[in-house]
Amino acid sequence: MSEEVLYLVFVIILFIAILAYMNIKERENNVKIIKLQNAIEDISKELHYFRKELGNKDDNEEDYKFMLLKEQMQILLEKEISAKIIPVLKSLKGMEHIIEEFQNEQQNRILNLEQKTKNMTKLTPNYDNQEQKIVELFKEGKNVEQIAKDLRIGTGKVELVLKFKQLLK
């Protein structure tokens, strides 16, 4: 029983550690994405300032070049993001599979424990009510205080039941 409890505690700690690890990695990725966004905003600002310095010469040509540059930047950004996010997604899917296996294993263990408990209850006598328990313990030779302590009830109730059954004077 204590080995199962220790194993359950170990599994819970392992599960919490995995969740903490996933949380830390997610925060790191969010920080990286924010840095990339800031870098893109800075580049856009610099392009805007360069355009102002050059003046409004050939606005159409500049707009076209800007659009091409923007598309190239977007393609590069998408490649960088997918290169960093895809491994994270794969590892998350792997962890998800591990957690599912763990849950299935735990459910099987719980079912086994339930079966063992059912088998254990068959070994203990079946009392219809608390009064029968009191009478049985008294017949086994236990005194009022011991019966009250074992059943976690007051001594007055034990005495009352025994007097009612005419076992105690």
Side-chain angles (χ1 to χ4, degrees), residues 57-93:
K57 301 176 189 173
D58 299 326
D59 277 342
N60 292 336
E61 186 178 324
E62 290 292 321
D63 286 342
Y64 178 73
K65 287 180 182 178
F66 179 72
M67 290 300 291
L68 286 177
L69 184 61
K70 186 176 178 182
E71 287 175 8
Q72 289 173 352
M73 294 281 291
Q74 190 169 6
I75 291 169
L76 287 173
L77 181 62
E78 287 175 2
K79 285 181 182 177
E80 286 289 322
I81 289 174
S82 64
K84 298 204 185 235
I85 290 179
I86 288 175
V88 172
L89 289 176
K90 286 181 181 177
S91 65
L92 286 175
K93 285 181 182 179

Side-chain angles (χ1 to χ4, degrees), residues 10-136:
F10 173 76
V11 169
I12 291 170
I13 290 172
L14 179 64
F15 182 70
I16 291 171
I18 289 172
L19 288 177
Y21 175 76
M22 289 172 35
N23 190 12
I24 290 169
K25 286 299 181 182
E26 182 179 328
R27 287 183 184 175
E28 289 176 358
N29 287 334
N30 286 341
V31 168
K32 289 178 183 178
I33 289 172
I34 289 171
K35 286 181 181 178
L36 285 172
Q37 288 175 341
N38 291 338
I40 290 172
E41 286 180 11
D42 291 340
I43 290 171
S44 295
K45 287 178 184 177
E46 286 181 22
L47 282 174
H48 179 73
Y49 291 128
F50 285 136
R51 191 180 294 157
K52 277 190 172 182
E53 287 179 11
L54 291 175
N56 290 333
K57 301 176 189 173
D58 299 326
D59 277 342
N60 292 336
E61 186 178 324
E62 290 292 321
D63 286 342
Y64 178 73
K65 287 180 182 178
F66 179 72
M67 290 300 291
L68 286 177
L69 184 61
K70 186 176 178 182
E71 287 175 8
Q72 289 173 352
M73 294 281 291
Q74 190 169 6
I75 291 169
L76 287 173
L77 181 62
E78 287 175 2
K79 285 181 182 177
E80 286 289 322
I81 289 174
S82 64
K84 298 204 185 235
I85 290 179
I86 288 175
V88 172
L89 289 176
K90 286 181 181 177
S91 65
L92 286 175
K93 285 181 182 179
M95 285 183 193
E96 184 177 314
H97 180 68
I98 290 170
I99 290 172
E100 286 175 3
E101 288 177 356
F102 175 75
Q103 286 176 336
N104 290 335
E105 183 180 330
Q106 294 309 311
Q107 287 176 348
N108 289 337
R109 287 180 179 216
I110 288 172
L111 290 175
N112 288 337
L113 286 173
E114 287 175 353
Q115 286 295 333
K116 288 178 183 177
T117 337
K118 286 180 184 177
N119 291 337
M120 289 175 67
T121 56
K122 291 178 184 175
L123 299 174
T124 59
N126 188 12
Y127 296 110
D128 289 333
N129 59 30
Q130 199 172 43
E131 291 178 5
Q132 288 179 340
K133 290 179 188 179
I134 293 170
V135 170
E136 183 71 28

